[in-house]
Amino acid sequence: MSTTRATPGRATPGRAPRRRLTPGRIARNTTLVVISLIWALPTWLLLVNALVPAADYGGTPHWWPQGFGLFDNMSQAWTKADLGPSMGNSLLYAVTSAAAAIVVATTAAFATVIMPVRHKALWFWLIYSGTLLPLQVFLRPLFLAYADTGLYDAQFGLFLVYVAIAIPFAYFIMRNFALTLAPEIIEAARIDGASWWRVFWQIHVPLSRSAMVAAFVFQFVSVWNDLLFGITLSTSKNIRPVMAALAELQGNYSNVGPPVVLGGALLVSLPTVVLFFSAQRFFVSSLKLHG
């Protein structure tokens, strides 16, 4: 019976080799931990102060839990801000506008990467330039145009805005994904006589499914969290998105305390958290495919 002795510095068969801790690796890990803690600090404060009963809040933020009034705070926020209809509006805007933007972005990425079009770089910058300007520059012209055309305080008007602002970044994601696809697959399909329309629907879309889901999640969260256009282009309760309704809790005529506002903020963030964890497997599959 023979025994195998591990040689120092060599990996034992069947066992993953140990990574040595170098100064660079330690510095990198320390930096990542510090950045994670900085990112988690606002979330911690949100959770802790949302737990405080509104009647016990003294005006000073708490760093550690003081009682448990979360459900009561959420209930007050839901009632006083009338979050039900506004959450339905945001769900409608986020789903439809994100889906429409993904369809347009996927089609544009296929046309500017896969198809033999001229001036591909020009088309990229023409579409992607929509993300280069701050959204505030569009408020005045949009408000005036919407007031003149009857789109102000209308669901279709907000839908158009959200689709327009979602397309550039979605196109950026889909274009970068299309660049990683093997061109031999498209060439083989074209040689077999497949039309561009058939190549798009039967080859490009199935291969791009994980990227489409990732882009949809990003745009859904972006539209769901929008406050700027919600308070500028809508006033009615049956039109305004949820962030505009939640903002009224902090208005001049609101008499609720910060725990109620934080409880409402925590409540309206739940759909995005659920969506992210539901789509997590698509992110993982995308990483495995291109890892």
Side-chain angles (χ1 to χ4, degrees):
M1 179 177 181
S2 62
T3 59
T4 302
R5 305 180 67 179
T7 304
R10 292 188 178 182
T12 303
R15 183 179 300 177
R18 287 185 177 180
R19 293 185 176 182
R20 300 181 60 184
L21 290 177
T22 62
R25 187 181 299 276
I26 294 175
R28 184 189 64 183
N29 294 341
T30 303
T31 302
L32 291 175
V33 170
V34 171
I35 293 176
S36 299
L37 291 175
I38 294 175
W39 177 86
L41 182 60
T43 305
W44 170 256
L45 289 175
L46 168 65
L47 292 173
V48 168
N49 289 274
L51 290 172
V52 178
D56 298 339
Y57 190 79
T60 304
H62 296 278
W63 288 89
W64 302 103
Q66 303 289 331
F68 188 83
L70 177 61
F71 296 142
D72 183 62
N73 294 335
M74 287 183 173
S75 177
Q76 290 189 51
W78 180 275
T79 303
K80 295 186 177 182
D82 197 15
L83 295 180
S86 58
M87 288 188 72
N89 292 332
S90 285
L91 183 64
L92 175 64
Y93 299 144
V95 171
T96 57
S97 60
I102 298 307
V103 172
V104 175
T106 305
T107 307
F110 178 80
T112 57
V113 175
I114 306 300
M115 296 181 67
V117 299
R118 300 175 59 184
H119 310 297
K120 294 185 177 182
L122 177 61
W123 283 111
F124 166 74
W125 286 110
L126 184 64
I127 301 175
Y128 185 66
S129 61
T131 63
L132 302 181
L133 295 176
L135 297 178
Q136 289 81 355
V137 302
F138 302 111
L139 290 181
R140 177 177 172 80
L142 272 176
F143 179 81
L144 297 176
Y146 272 37
D148 292 338
T149 57
L151 291 175
Y152 180 78
D153 198 26
Q155 288 183 335
F156 185 68
L158 285 174
F159 166 78
L160 291 178
V161 170
Y162 290 141
V163 171
I165 65 176
I167 286 176
F169 186 71
Y171 169 73
F172 177 78
I173 296 176
M174 298 310 303
R175 175 185 179 271
N176 288 348
F177 186 87
L179 290 172
T180 66
L181 297 179
E184 293 81 5
I185 301 177
I186 307 300
E187 293 174 359
R190 292 291 293 169
I191 292 175
D192 289 341
S195 63
W196 286 115
W197 184 258
R198 185 177 180 182
V199 170
F200 175 74
W201 282 110
Q202 297 187 4
I203 298 178
H204 184 74
V205 170
L207 290 176
S208 304
R209 189 174 302 164
S210 59
M212 294 171 68
V213 173
F216 177 85
V217 172
F218 282 123
Q219 300 312 314
F220 181 97
V221 174
S222 177
V223 173
W224 183 273
N225 292 333
D226 172 70
L227 173 64
L228 184 65
F229 293 107
I231 62 177
T232 305
L233 301 178
S234 66
T235 56
S236 302
K237 291 185 178 182
N238 61 332
I239 302 296
R240 66 184 181 181
V242 67
M243 292 302 168
L246 186 63
E248 290 189 359
L249 287 177
Q250 295 179 298
N252 296 329
Y253 302 100
S254 177
N255 57 357
V256 300
V260 176
V261 178
L262 296 177
L266 188 61
L267 179 63
V268 301
S269 66
L270 292 180
T272 59
V273 175
V274 172
L275 176 64
F276 176 80
F277 282 106
S278 300
Q280 190 175 12
R281 64 187 184 91
F282 290 97
F283 289 96
V284 174
S285 64
S286 178
L287 292 176
K288 289 182 178 179
L289 181 62
H290 298 280

